[in-house]
Structure formats: C-alpha cells, structure tokens
Amino acid sequence: MSSSNTKLDSLCDNLEGCKLDGTAETKISDEELFKQPPPKEDCPICFLRIPTLETGSKYKTCCGKTICSGCSYAPVYDNQGNEVKEKKCPFCRTPLPKANDEEQIKRLKKRVEMNDPIAIHNLGLKYYHGDTNDFPQDYDKALELHHQAAELRHANSYCCIGYAYDIGTEVEVDKKKARHYYELAAMMGDVIARHNLGYREENAGNIDRALRHYMIAVRGGFAQSLETIKVLYLDGLATKDDYTKALRLYQEYLGEIKSPQRDKAAAAHERYRYY
Ligand SMILES: [Zn+2]
Ligand SMILES: [Zn+2]
C-alpha cells in the first residue's frame, strides 16, 4: 500500500457521512442512494438554476461566485446605465484577470485560504494536470486537496477521488472504494459519478438499478444518461415507458435552466453552450 493510500484512509475516517471502514464495505442504503439530490445552486444574478454542463457556468475567483453562461456573456452596465467596456466580473465588478495571469493564481490561492471548496477543488485539478510551471504534476497534492474540498461538501471532489481509485493514477486500484466515493458524489448531486454507477450496474447485468441511476442523472441534466437509456430501449433492455420517462425528466430539467439570455450566449459562442 502506498503512503498516499494510507493518508487517504485516515482522512476518510474524518469525513462526515463517510462510512468507509477498514474492510471497505459500503453501508449506504438504497433509500439514501436513490434519492434525487438537490439541484445545483441558482445563479446569483438571474436566479435561475445553474446548468449542469460545464460550459453553462463559470466560477469567479474574485468573489467565489458561480455565474451562469447567460450572465457571463451579457454586457455589464455602470450606475449611469452605460455599458462597461473593460471586462469585469458581472457579480462583484472586479476587473477580470488575463488568462494565465499571475493575478488569477493569486486570487485562486486567496480563495483557497478562505476555505472555498471550489477553489480548493480547482487547485487540486491544477496539480493533477500539472498544466503550468506554478503547478508541477503532483498526484498526492491533488488528492489531498480533493479530500479537503470533499470535506467541505464539494461533490465533484468525491468523484475525482472515486476516479483515482477506479483507474489507479494516484493510489492503488480499489474498485470498492471507487464505488463508495462515486456513491458519495452521486448522492451530493454529481451526475458523472451517478452515470458511472449506472454504467457499473449495467455491466453487471443489473439493468433495473442501472436505470434508476441513469434516470437521476437525466433529471440532473446529464444528456449522456438520456442517450444511454435510448440505446437500452433500442436494444430491448429498457421499455418504451422508461425512455418516455427519461425524456420527460430531461424536459423538466431544461424547463428549469432555459432562458433567452443563455440561448443568446450559446448562439454567440460554443464556450457558452449550456445543454
Ligand atoms: Zn445568470
Ligand atoms: Zn466577482
């Protein structure tokens, strides 16, 4: 067992709601597991649900807010109603740092010091990918930061830890632990983890359980799960009712996130696509 693995186990003991014990037996009940998790928070500007698709929102290191694509794209006006040409955060009006700017890194680190889970998670990703000189690739550091963010209830951090155990980049492969962390992430609303759980059940031949996971992911806005249910239907593994239900769930999701402002942004740039 590697040192990082040991570190992970001791950290896990401190996690609220983490029921992983030394034998890696999971004790999450189906009732807990298959509950539809609460949606992502609303955009603090337009008050609509934040889209699930990554390009549907942007995290701001200035104020720590996640702003939807529509509000990110919309022009910003000053108090006199004049359009502000200089790029500013639409929420706190702080001038935006340039890409790969020192200022951007400084702001991210400041948010990390403030215990902001998204900033901690993003810093973890920087170490995971090792994309700049400031962040040489360091899997142990990445895992440590993802644990820290997960403790602050950042769902996607649990998914990253699950993935680490799933493929063994940062730790030794442990499929039971991988599943456990995917479950924690899924229960907190992470749709990728939810889809992964569905995929595992499908591969094990448990189509009923797979469908339950996929349906929750669809309602959470994960189009890939809808596509998977369609394939299961075409292959005769899911019923027409299943597929109809999935389509309805996805429409419900779209009803919560669609707005003319977001449509306008998406039409202007692929980087603002939100579903
Ligand atoms: Zn918005
Ligand atoms: Zn801001």
Side-chain angles (χ1 to χ4, degrees):
M1 190 181 275
S2 73
S3 59
S4 58
N5 212 347
T6 315
K7 188 162 57 190
L8 195 56
D9 286 339
S10 62
L11 269 166
C12 186
D13 291 341
N14 300 324
L15 285 184
E16 192 205 333
C18 182
K19 297 167 183 111
L20 190 66
D21 61 25
T23 56
E25 284 298 326
T26 57
K27 293 181 185 72
I28 295 165
S29 71
D30 274 4
E31 199 194 332
E32 284 177 281
L33 183 61
F34 290 114
K35 219 183 269 171
Q36 186 76 44
K40 275 198 180 194
E41 76 282 18
D42 295 339
C43 170
I45 297 173
C46 66
F47 302 116
L48 285 175
R49 177 176 177 170
I50 290 281
T52 300
L53 194 71
E54 218 184 328
T55 44
S57 67
K58 208 158 172 52
Y59 169 77
K60 302 289 180 192
T61 45
C62 37
C63 49
K65 298 288 182 192
T66 300
I67 312 289
C68 83
S69 51
C71 294
S72 298
Y73 175 71
V76 174
Y77 298 96
D78 65 16
N79 294 337
Q80 274 76 46
N82 302 311
E83 191 178 333
V84 178
K85 289 293 174 198
E86 190 195 358
K87 284 273 177 204
K88 287 186 177 181
C89 168
F91 186 78
C92 72
R93 306 290 169 92
T94 303
L96 296 183
K98 293 186 201 86
N100 291 326
D101 194 1
E102 246 176 67
E103 177 62 23
Q104 202 167 18
I105 294 166
K106 217 171 89 187
R107 286 183 193 177
L108 180 69
K109 287 184 172 166
K110 198 175 152 204
R111 295 295 314 172
V112 169
E113 279 166 26
M114 292 165 79
N115 242 7
D116 175 339
I118 302 178
I120 296 167
H121 176 83
N122 289 351
L123 186 63
L125 287 180
K126 283 190 181 293
Y127 280 110
Y128 182 84
H129 295 294
D131 50 4
T132 64
N133 291 335
D134 293 288
F135 306 102
Q137 194 165 52
D138 185 338
Y139 287 145
D140 279 354
K141 182 87 184 150
L143 198 59
E144 192 185 312
L145 287 162
H146 284 151
H147 262 285
Q148 203 182 323
E151 280 183 66
L152 295 164
R153 317 298 292 161
H154 187 62
N156 193 240
S157 290
Y158 277 129
C159 186
C160 288
I161 298 167
Y163 186 72
Y165 278 116
D166 204 3
I167 62 157
T169 34
E170 298 129 289
V171 286
E172 278 174 49
V173 171
D174 186 325
K175 296 291 180 187
K176 273 188 179 173
K177 283 187 182 178
R179 182 200 179 101
H180 174 74
Y181 283 109
Y182 283 148
E183 285 177 345
L184 292 178
M187 288 191 298
M188 282 163 61
D190 190 278
V191 288
I192 297 172
R194 181 65 73 178
H195 184 85
N196 273 345
L197 291 170
Y199 183 72
R200 281 157 174 258
E201 295 288 5
E202 186 188 334
N203 276 350
N206 304 323
I207 301 297
D208 275 1
R209 292 180 72 84
L211 277 171
R212 287 175 82 182
H213 282 305
Y214 290 145
M215 290 291 180
I216 293 171
V218 168
R219 186 60 183 84
F222 200 57
Q224 209 178 315
S225 293
L226 177 62
E227 203 45 44
T228 304
I229 294 172
K230 183 182 171 186
V231 172
L232 286 173
Y233 164 56
L234 294 175
D235 288 346
L237 292 166
T239 64
K240 191 179 176 186
D241 279 355
D242 292 328
Y243 183 45
T244 309
K245 182 185 170 190
L247 284 171
R248 179 176 52 77
L249 292 174
Y250 195 64
Q251 283 306 319
E252 281 176 19
Y253 165 74
L254 288 182
E256 290 169 2
I257 60 147
K258 284 199 85 166
S259 82
Q261 180 92 289
R262 291 174 180 180
D263 284 342
K264 213 168 142 186
H269 293 288
E270 180 67 11
R271 67 173 183 275
Y272 291 124
R273 196 159 72 88
Y274 70 106
Y275 66 91

